[in-house]
Amino acid sequence: MKIRDIWKTAAGTNALVAIIATAPALAEDSKLEELKAQGFARVAIANEPPFTAVAADGKVSGAAPAVAREIFKRLGVPEIVASISEYGAMIPGLQAGRHDVITAGLFMKPERCAAVAYSQPILCDAGALAIRKGNPLSLTSYKDLAANQNAKLGVPGGSTDEKLALQAGVPRDRLIVVPDGQSGMKMLQDGRIDAYALPVLSINDLVNKAKDPNIEVVAPLKDVPINCDGAAFRKGDQALRDAFDVELAKMKKSGEFAKIIEPYGFSAAAAMATSREKLCAAK
Ligand code: 6CS
């Protein structure tokens, strides 16, 4: 019987079906093998302490890379290599193959959950504003910002802060996209914006470092939920995401997860009290 005729037999057809059926899974498993061979995982970060940080010497720290570094080590990938990205560019960069995973405090929101494969929750935080001393515009929420026709708000591009401000009714022409924390603080100090929005721990880190008696923090914002991130993988890398989750669950159980994130100010209990399913379903 000629080779080309084998596929016409029942045995040949079953073999062909088996190969086709397992191909995607084999491809998915190969992503971890690819990273092991590469020796590192390329992670997207924002450089927003304490979620993520890059020192002057290039050293990457922050709670999200610290968790990812430990988990990848356990999976046989010894290093992570970080590149800084705006929040709004992280998912397109992941999908274009520029990153292997996003470990940046990218909060789980339905539209993001539809675009990536998130791990289970890692870092949770509420919302905050940096404002001028005395809070002259009485800003305690995005609603207050929407209601004040003159108030200008600084936000990271493509961020949850930006989205929540728009949803609360802050018009686009009073939303200023700020490239990084230092620029945000400078713009606030120069009066070019009236408030700068980030999660509580990020704003506190910036304001503490600024040591400017004319800048204060309003936290938590009344109309911002507790948001949580996860590591974000490409949709096609489900097996890698699942392997990451197995190690994350072990570390949550053993207390090692808390040992890594709590020195940065994050609550392990907050991340363990929720789930990807709940966060991705929340409006
Ligand atoms: O996921 C986000 O878009 C938000 N995450 C952080 C850590 N900071 C700002 C941003 O809004």
mmCIF file with all atom_site columns, all heavy atoms in Angstrom, residues 3 6-7 9-29:
data_model
loop_
_atom_site.group_PDB
_atom_site.id
_atom_site.type_symbol
_atom_site.label_atom_id
_atom_site.label_alt_id
_atom_site.label_comp_id
_atom_site.label_asym_id
_atom_site.label_entity_id
_atom_site.label_seq_id
_atom_site.pdbx_PDB_ins_code
_atom_site.Cartn_x
_atom_site.Cartn_y
_atom_site.Cartn_z
_atom_site.occupancy
_atom_site.B_iso_or_equiv
_atom_site.pdbx_formal_charge
_atom_site.auth_seq_id
_atom_site.auth_comp_id
_atom_site.auth_asym_id
_atom_site.auth_atom_id
_atom_site.pdbx_PDB_model_num
ATOM 1   N N   . ILE A 1 3  ? 2.197   5.121  0.641  1.00 0.00 ? 3  ILE A N   1
ATOM 2   C CA  . ILE A 1 3  ? 2.045   6.019  1.807  1.00 0.00 ? 3  ILE A CA  1
ATOM 3   C C   . ILE A 1 3  ? 0.769   6.835  1.675  1.00 0.00 ? 3  ILE A C   1
ATOM 4   O O   . ILE A 1 3  ? -0.031  6.946  2.580  1.00 0.00 ? 3  ILE A O   1
ATOM 5   C CB  . ILE A 1 3  ? 3.267   6.969  1.892  1.00 0.00 ? 3  ILE A CB  1
ATOM 6   C CG1 . ILE A 1 3  ? 4.523   6.212  2.353  1.00 0.00 ? 3  ILE A CG1 1
ATOM 7   C CG2 . ILE A 1 3  ? 2.951   8.130  2.835  1.00 0.00 ? 3  ILE A CG2 1
ATOM 8   C CD1 . ILE A 1 3  ? 4.564   5.913  3.831  1.00 0.00 ? 3  ILE A CD1 1
ATOM 9   N N   . ILE A 1 6  ? -2.357  5.400  3.022  1.00 0.00 ? 6  ILE A N   1
ATOM 10  C CA  . ILE A 1 6  ? -2.556  5.038  4.446  1.00 0.00 ? 6  ILE A CA  1
ATOM 11  C C   . ILE A 1 6  ? -3.621  5.925  5.090  1.00 0.00 ? 6  ILE A C   1
ATOM 12  O O   . ILE A 1 6  ? -4.473  5.500  5.845  1.00 0.00 ? 6  ILE A O   1
ATOM 13  C CB  . ILE A 1 6  ? -1.217  5.172  5.226  1.00 0.00 ? 6  ILE A CB  1
ATOM 14  C CG1 . ILE A 1 6  ? -0.272  4.041  4.844  1.00 0.00 ? 6  ILE A CG1 1
ATOM 15  C CG2 . ILE A 1 6  ? -1.454  5.183  6.741  1.00 0.00 ? 6  ILE A CG2 1
ATOM 16  C CD1 . ILE A 1 6  ? 1.080   4.104  5.509  1.00 0.00 ? 6  ILE A CD1 1
ATOM 17  N N   . TRP A 1 7  ? -3.579  7.260  4.720  1.00 0.00 ? 7  TRP A N   1
ATOM 18  C CA  . TRP A 1 7  ? -4.508  8.188  5.377  1.00 0.00 ? 7  TRP A CA  1
ATOM 19  C C   . TRP A 1 7  ? -5.962  7.865  5.050  1.00 0.00 ? 7  TRP A C   1
ATOM 20  O O   . TRP A 1 7  ? -6.872  8.343  5.705  1.00 0.00 ? 7  TRP A O   1
ATOM 21  C CB  . TRP A 1 7  ? -4.198  9.635  4.964  1.00 0.00 ? 7  TRP A CB  1
ATOM 22  C CG  . TRP A 1 7  ? -2.788  10.026 5.357  1.00 0.00 ? 7  TRP A CG  1
ATOM 23  C CD1 . TRP A 1 7  ? -1.813  10.474 4.566  1.00 0.00 ? 7  TRP A CD1 1
ATOM 24  C CD2 . TRP A 1 7  ? -2.228  9.954  6.678  1.00 0.00 ? 7  TRP A CD2 1
ATOM 25  N NE1 . TRP A 1 7  ? -0.659  10.693 5.268  1.00 0.00 ? 7  TRP A NE1 1
ATOM 26  C CE2 . TRP A 1 7  ? -0.874  10.372 6.595  1.00 0.00 ? 7  TRP A CE2 1
ATOM 27  C CE3 . TRP A 1 7  ? -2.706  9.549  7.934  1.00 0.00 ? 7  TRP A CE3 1
ATOM 28  C CZ2 . TRP A 1 7  ? -0.023  10.419 7.687  1.00 0.00 ? 7  TRP A CZ2 1
ATOM 29  C CZ3 . TRP A 1 7  ? -1.851  9.597  9.005  1.00 0.00 ? 7  TRP A CZ3 1
ATOM 30  C CH2 . TRP A 1 7  ? -0.517  10.039 8.891  1.00 0.00 ? 7  TRP A CH2 1
ATOM 31  N N   . THR A 1 9  ? -7.098  4.947  5.321  1.00 0.00 ? 9  THR A N   1
ATOM 32  C CA  . THR A 1 9  ? -7.597  3.833  6.170  1.00 0.00 ? 9  THR A CA  1
ATOM 33  C C   . THR A 1 9  ? -8.091  4.429  7.492  1.00 0.00 ? 9  THR A C   1
ATOM 34  O O   . THR A 1 9  ? -7.723  5.550  7.867  1.00 0.00 ? 9  THR A O   1
ATOM 35  C CB  . THR A 1 9  ? -6.422  2.875  6.499  1.00 0.00 ? 9  THR A CB  1
ATOM 36  O OG1 . THR A 1 9  ? -5.492  3.636  7.327  1.00 0.00 ? 9  THR A OG1 1
ATOM 37  C CG2 . THR A 1 9  ? -5.710  2.417  5.233  1.00 0.00 ? 9  THR A CG2 1
ATOM 38  N N   . ALA A 1 10 ? -8.875  3.701  8.239  1.00 0.00 ? 10 ALA A N   1
ATOM 39  C CA  . ALA A 1 10 ? -9.409  4.164  9.549  1.00 0.00 ? 10 ALA A CA  1
ATOM 40  C C   . ALA A 1 10 ? -8.236  4.480  10.483 1.00 0.00 ? 10 ALA A C   1
ATOM 41  O O   . ALA A 1 10 ? -8.184  5.544  11.090 1.00 0.00 ? 10 ALA A O   1
ATOM 42  C CB  . ALA A 1 10 ? -10.271 3.066  10.158 1.00 0.00 ? 10 ALA A CB  1
ATOM 43  N N   . ALA A 1 11 ? -7.233  3.602  10.500 1.00 0.00 ? 11 ALA A N   1
ATOM 44  C CA  . ALA A 1 11 ? -6.088  3.808  11.423 1.00 0.00 ? 11 ALA A CA  1
ATOM 45  C C   . ALA A 1 11 ? -5.373  5.100  11.059 1.00 0.00 ? 11 ALA A C   1
ATOM 46  O O   . ALA A 1 11 ? -5.073  5.932  11.906 1.00 0.00 ? 11 ALA A O   1
ATOM 47  C CB  . ALA A 1 11 ? -5.126  2.619  11.300 1.00 0.00 ? 11 ALA A CB  1
ATOM 48  N N   . GLY A 1 12 ? -5.189  5.280  9.762  1.00 0.00 ? 12 GLY A N   1
ATOM 49  C CA  . GLY A 1 12 ? -4.477  6.495  9.318  1.00 0.00 ? 12 GLY A CA  1
ATOM 50  C C   . GLY A 1 12 ? -5.268  7.741  9.679  1.00 0.00 ? 12 GLY A C   1
ATOM 51  O O   . GLY A 1 12 ? -4.730  8.720  10.189 1.00 0.00 ? 12 GLY A O   1
ATOM 52  N N   . THR A 1 13 ? -6.586  7.683  9.473  1.00 0.00 ? 13 THR A N   1
ATOM 53  C CA  . THR A 1 13 ? -7.424  8.859  9.787  1.00 0.00 ? 13 THR A CA  1
ATOM 54  C C   . THR A 1 13 ? -7.365  9.157  11.289 1.00 0.00 ? 13 THR A C   1
ATOM 55  O O   . THR A 1 13 ? -7.195  10.290 11.705 1.00 0.00 ? 13 THR A O   1
ATOM 56  C CB  . THR A 1 13 ? -8.896  8.568  9.371  1.00 0.00 ? 13 THR A CB  1
ATOM 57  O OG1 . THR A 1 13 ? -8.882  8.117  8.012  1.00 0.00 ? 13 THR A OG1 1
ATOM 58  C CG2 . THR A 1 13 ? -9.752  9.817  9.529  1.00 0.00 ? 13 THR A CG2 1
ATOM 59  N N   . ASN A 1 14 ? -7.437  8.096  12.102 1.00 0.00 ? 14 ASN A N   1
ATOM 60  C CA  . ASN A 1 14 ? -7.386  8.311  13.575 1.00 0.00 ? 14 ASN A CA  1
ATOM 61  C C   . ASN A 1 14 ? -6.062  8.968  13.963 1.00 0.00 ? 14 ASN A C   1
ATOM 62  O O   . ASN A 1 14 ? -6.018  9.891  14.768 1.00 0.00 ? 14 ASN A O   1
ATOM 63  C CB  . ASN A 1 14 ? -7.531  6.969  14.315 1.00 0.00 ? 14 ASN A CB  1
ATOM 64  C CG  . ASN A 1 14 ? -8.958  6.429  14.181 1.00 0.00 ? 14 ASN A CG  1
ATOM 65  O OD1 . ASN A 1 14 ? -9.863  7.225  13.858 1.00 0.00 ? 14 ASN A OD1 1
ATOM 66  N ND2 . ASN A 1 14 ? -9.145  5.136  14.359 1.00 0.00 ? 14 ASN A ND2 1
ATOM 67  N N   . ALA A 1 15 ? -4.995  8.504  13.319 1.00 0.00 ? 15 ALA A N   1
ATOM 68  C CA  . ALA A 1 15 ? -3.666  9.069  13.641 1.00 0.00 ? 15 ALA A CA  1
ATOM 69  C C   . ALA A 1 15 ? -3.636  10.543 13.259 1.00 0.00 ? 15 ALA A C   1
ATOM 70  O O   . ALA A 1 15 ? -3.178  11.395 14.016 1.00 0.00 ? 15 ALA A O   1
ATOM 71  C CB  . ALA A 1 15 ? -2.586  8.306  12.876 1.00 0.00 ? 15 ALA A CB  1
ATOM 72  N N   . LEU A 1 16 ? -4.215  10.840 12.096 1.00 0.00 ? 16 LEU A N   1
ATOM 73  C CA  . LEU A 1 16 ? -4.212  12.243 11.618 1.00 0.00 ? 16 LEU A CA  1
ATOM 74  C C   . LEU A 1 16 ? -5.020  13.118 12.576 1.00 0.00 ? 16 LEU A C   1
ATOM 75  O O   . LEU A 1 16 ? -4.583  14.182 13.002 1.00 0.00 ? 16 LEU A O   1
ATOM 76  C CB  . LEU A 1 16 ? -4.832  12.298 10.214 1.00 0.00 ? 16 LEU A CB  1
ATOM 77  C CG  . LEU A 1 16 ? -4.787  13.679 9.514  1.00 0.00 ? 16 LEU A CG  1
ATOM 78  C CD1 . LEU A 1 16 ? -3.340  14.129 9.331  1.00 0.00 ? 16 LEU A CD1 1
ATOM 79  C CD2 . LEU A 1 16 ? -5.495  13.593 8.164  1.00 0.00 ? 16 LEU A CD2 1
ATOM 80  N N   . VAL A 1 17 ? -6.183  12.613 12.990 1.00 0.00 ? 17 VAL A N   1
ATOM 81  C CA  . VAL A 1 17 ? -7.036  13.375 13.931 1.00 0.00 ? 17 VAL A CA  1
ATOM 82  C C   . VAL A 1 17 ? -6.279  13.609 15.236 1.00 0.00 ? 17 VAL A C   1
ATOM 83  O O   . VAL A 1 17 ? -6.247  14.700 15.777 1.00 0.00 ? 17 VAL A O   1
ATOM 84  C CB  . VAL A 1 17 ? -8.360  12.606 14.203 1.00 0.00 ? 17 VAL A CB  1
ATOM 85  C CG1 . VAL A 1 17 ? -9.086  13.219 15.408 1.00 0.00 ? 17 VAL A CG1 1
ATOM 86  C CG2 . VAL A 1 17 ? -9.231  12.638 12.964 1.00 0.00 ? 17 VAL A CG2 1
ATOM 87  N N   . ALA A 1 18 ? -5.579  12.566 15.694 1.00 0.00 ? 18 ALA A N   1
ATOM 88  C CA  . ALA A 1 18 ? -4.842  12.693 16.979 1.00 0.00 ? 18 ALA A CA  1
ATOM 89  C C   . ALA A 1 18 ? -3.769  13.764 16.853 1.00 0.00 ? 18 ALA A C   1
ATOM 90  O O   . ALA A 1 18 ? -3.603  14.617 17.726 1.00 0.00 ? 18 ALA A O   1
ATOM 91  C CB  . ALA A 1 18 ? -4.223  11.351 17.339 1.00 0.00 ? 18 ALA A CB  1
ATOM 92  N N   . ILE A 1 19 ? -3.067  13.783 15.742 1.00 0.00 ? 19 ILE A N   1
ATOM 93  C CA  . ILE A 1 19 ? -1.990  14.783 15.562 1.00 0.00 ? 19 ILE A CA  1
ATOM 94  C C   . ILE A 1 19 ? -2.589  16.184 15.531 1.00 0.00 ? 19 ILE A C   1
ATOM 95  O O   . ILE A 1 19 ? -2.157  17.077 16.239 1.00 0.00 ? 19 ILE A O   1
ATOM 96  C CB  . ILE A 1 19 ? -1.215  14.498 14.252 1.00 0.00 ? 19 ILE A CB  1
ATOM 97  C CG1 . ILE A 1 19 ? -0.372  13.217 14.421 1.00 0.00 ? 19 ILE A CG1 1
ATOM 98  C CG2 . ILE A 1 19 ? -0.312  15.685 13.891 1.00 0.00 ? 19 ILE A CG2 1
ATOM 99  C CD1 . ILE A 1 19 ? 0.174   12.674 13.128 1.00 0.00 ? 19 ILE A CD1 1
ATOM 100 N N   . ILE A 1 20 ? -3.671  16.341 14.781 1.00 0.00 ? 20 ILE A N   1
ATOM 101 C CA  . ILE A 1 20 ? -4.289  17.681 14.669 1.00 0.00 ? 20 ILE A CA  1
ATOM 102 C C   . ILE A 1 20 ? -4.822  18.129 16.033 1.00 0.00 ? 20 ILE A C   1
ATOM 103 O O   . ILE A 1 20 ? -4.624  19.242 16.479 1.00 0.00 ? 20 ILE A O   1
ATOM 104 C CB  . ILE A 1 20 ? -5.430  17.654 13.617 1.00 0.00 ? 20 ILE A CB  1
ATOM 105 C CG1 . ILE A 1 20 ? -4.825  17.490 12.219 1.00 0.00 ? 20 ILE A CG1 1
ATOM 106 C CG2 . ILE A 1 20 ? -6.258  18.944 13.701 1.00 0.00 ? 20 ILE A CG2 1
ATOM 107 C CD1 . ILE A 1 20 ? -5.852  17.146 11.149 1.00 0.00 ? 20 ILE A CD1 1
ATOM 108 N N   . ALA A 1 21 ? -5.426  17.176 16.758 1.00 0.00 ? 21 ALA A N   1
ATOM 109 C CA  . ALA A 1 21 ? -6.049  17.536 18.052 1.00 0.00 ? 21 ALA A CA  1
ATOM 110 C C   . ALA A 1 21 ? -4.999  17.960 19.071 1.00 0.00 ? 21 ALA A C   1
ATOM 111 O O   . ALA A 1 21 ? -5.204  18.871 19.854 1.00 0.00 ? 21 ALA A O   1
ATOM 112 C CB  . ALA A 1 21 ? -6.825  16.338 18.588 1.00 0.00 ? 21 ALA A CB  1
ATOM 113 N N   . THR A 1 22 ? -3.831  17.316 19.031 1.00 0.00 ? 22 THR A N   1
ATOM 114 C CA  . THR A 1 22 ? -2.843  17.645 20.089 1.00 0.00 ? 22 THR A CA  1
ATOM 115 C C   . THR A 1 22 ? -1.894  18.760 19.667 1.00 0.00 ? 22 THR A C   1
ATOM 116 O O   . THR A 1 22 ? -1.155  19.300 20.460 1.00 0.00 ? 22 THR A O   1
ATOM 117 C CB  . THR A 1 22 ? -1.979  16.395 20.411 1.00 0.00 ? 22 THR A CB  1
ATOM 118 O OG1 . THR A 1 22 ? -1.398  15.943 19.180 1.00 0.00 ? 22 THR A OG1 1
ATOM 119 C CG2 . THR A 1 22 ? -2.808  15.301 21.055 1.00 0.00 ? 22 THR A CG2 1
ATOM 120 N N   . ALA A 1 23 ? -1.941  19.161 18.392 1.00 0.00 ? 23 ALA A N   1
ATOM 121 C CA  . ALA A 1 23 ? -0.977  20.166 17.902 1.00 0.00 ? 23 ALA A CA  1
ATOM 122 C C   . ALA A 1 23 ? -0.990  21.452 18.741 1.00 0.00 ? 23 ALA A C   1
ATOM 123 O O   . ALA A 1 23 ? 0.031   21.866 19.243 1.00 0.00 ? 23 ALA A O   1
ATOM 124 C CB  . ALA A 1 23 ? -1.247  20.469 16.437 1.00 0.00 ? 23 ALA A CB  1
ATOM 125 N N   . PRO A 1 24 ? -2.192  22.096 18.958 1.00 0.00 ? 24 PRO A N   1
ATOM 126 C CA  . PRO A 1 24 ? -2.174  23.360 19.731 1.00 0.00 ? 24 PRO A CA  1
ATOM 127 C C   . PRO A 1 24 ? -1.576  23.152 21.130 1.00 0.00 ? 24 PRO A C   1
ATOM 128 O O   . PRO A 1 24 ? -0.770  23.931 21.596 1.00 0.00 ? 24 PRO A O   1
ATOM 129 C CB  . PRO A 1 24 ? -3.654  23.740 19.820 1.00 0.00 ? 24 PRO A CB  1
ATOM 130 C CG  . PRO A 1 24 ? -4.328  23.003 18.736 1.00 0.00 ? 24 PRO A CG  1
ATOM 131 C CD  . PRO A 1 24 ? -3.551  21.746 18.533 1.00 0.00 ? 24 PRO A CD  1
ATOM 132 N N   . ALA A 1 25 ? -1.963  22.061 21.779 1.00 0.00 ? 25 ALA A N   1
ATOM 133 C CA  . ALA A 1 25 ? -1.442  21.818 23.146 1.00 0.00 ? 25 ALA A CA  1
ATOM 134 C C   . ALA A 1 25 ? 0.076   21.682 23.083 1.00 0.00 ? 25 ALA A C   1
ATOM 135 O O   . ALA A 1 25 ? 0.790   22.292 23.871 1.00 0.00 ? 25 ALA A O   1
ATOM 136 C CB  . ALA A 1 25 ? -2.070  20.553 23.713 1.00 0.00 ? 25 ALA A CB  1
ATOM 137 N N   . LEU A 1 26 ? 0.565   20.936 22.084 1.00 0.00 ? 26 LEU A N   1
ATOM 138 C CA  . LEU A 1 26 ? 2.028   20.775 21.956 1.00 0.00 ? 26 LEU A CA  1
ATOM 139 C C   . LEU A 1 26 ? 2.651   22.148 21.739 1.00 0.00 ? 26 LEU A C   1
ATOM 140 O O   . LEU A 1 26 ? 3.656   22.488 22.337 1.00 0.00 ? 26 LEU A O   1
ATOM 141 C CB  . LEU A 1 26 ? 2.348   19.840 20.786 1.00 0.00 ? 26 LEU A CB  1
ATOM 142 C CG  . LEU A 1 26 ? 2.007   18.354 21.025 1.00 0.00 ? 26 LEU A CG  1
ATOM 143 C CD1 . LEU A 1 26 ? 2.241   17.546 19.754 1.00 0.00 ? 26 LEU A CD1 1
ATOM 144 C CD2 . LEU A 1 26 ? 2.815   17.795 22.190 1.00 0.00 ? 26 LEU A CD2 1
ATOM 145 N N   . ALA A 1 27 ? 2.001   22.976 20.905 1.00 0.00 ? 27 ALA A N   1
ATOM 146 C CA  . ALA A 1 27 ? 2.542   24.321 20.640 1.00 0.00 ? 27 ALA A CA  1
ATOM 147 C C   . ALA A 1 27 ? 2.559   25.100 21.950 1.00 0.00 ? 27 ALA A C   1
ATOM 148 O O   . ALA A 1 27 ? 3.547   25.757 22.281 1.00 0.00 ? 27 ALA A O   1
ATOM 149 C CB  . ALA A 1 27 ? 1.666   25.027 19.626 1.00 0.00 ? 27 ALA A CB  1
ATOM 150 N N   . GLU A 1 28 ? 1.466   25.013 22.732 1.00 0.00 ? 28 GLU A N   1
ATOM 151 C CA  . GLU A 1 28 ? 1.401   25.781 23.987 1.00 0.00 ? 28 GLU A CA  1
ATOM 152 C C   . GLU A 1 28 ? 2.507   25.341 24.925 1.00 0.00 ? 28 GLU A C   1
ATOM 153 O O   . GLU A 1 28 ? 3.238   26.133 25.487 1.00 0.00 ? 28 GLU A O   1
ATOM 154 C CB  . GLU A 1 28 ? 0.025   25.559 24.650 1.00 0.00 ? 28 GLU A CB  1
ATOM 155 C CG  . GLU A 1 28 ? -1.072  26.350 23.980 1.00 0.00 ? 28 GLU A CG  1
ATOM 156 C CD  . GLU A 1 28 ? -2.325  26.340 24.849 1.00 0.00 ? 28 GLU A CD  1
ATOM 157 O OE1 . GLU A 1 28 ? -2.362  25.622 25.854 1.00 0.00 ? 28 GLU A OE1 1
ATOM 158 O OE2 . GLU A 1 28 ? -3.237  27.078 24.490 1.00 0.00 ? 28 GLU A OE2 1
ATOM 159 N N   . ASP A 1 29 ? 2.643   24.009 25.109 1.00 0.00 ? 29 ASP A N   1
ATOM 160 C CA  . ASP A 1 29 ? 3.682   23.513 26.009 1.00 0.00 ? 29 ASP A CA  1
ATOM 161 C C   . ASP A 1 29 ? 5.041   24.000 25.540 1.00 0.00 ? 29 ASP A C   1
ATOM 162 O O   . ASP A 1 29 ? 5.918   24.283 26.341 1.00 0.00 ? 29 ASP A O   1
ATOM 163 C CB  . ASP A 1 29 ? 3.663   21.976 26.028 1.00 0.00 ? 29 ASP A CB  1
ATOM 164 C CG  . ASP A 1 29 ? 2.484   21.482 26.864 1.00 0.00 ? 29 ASP A CG  1
ATOM 165 O OD1 . ASP A 1 29 ? 2.034   22.278 27.719 1.00 0.00 ? 29 ASP A OD1 1
ATOM 166 O OD2 . ASP A 1 29 ? 2.015   20.367 26.640 1.00 0.00 ? 29 ASP A OD2 1
#
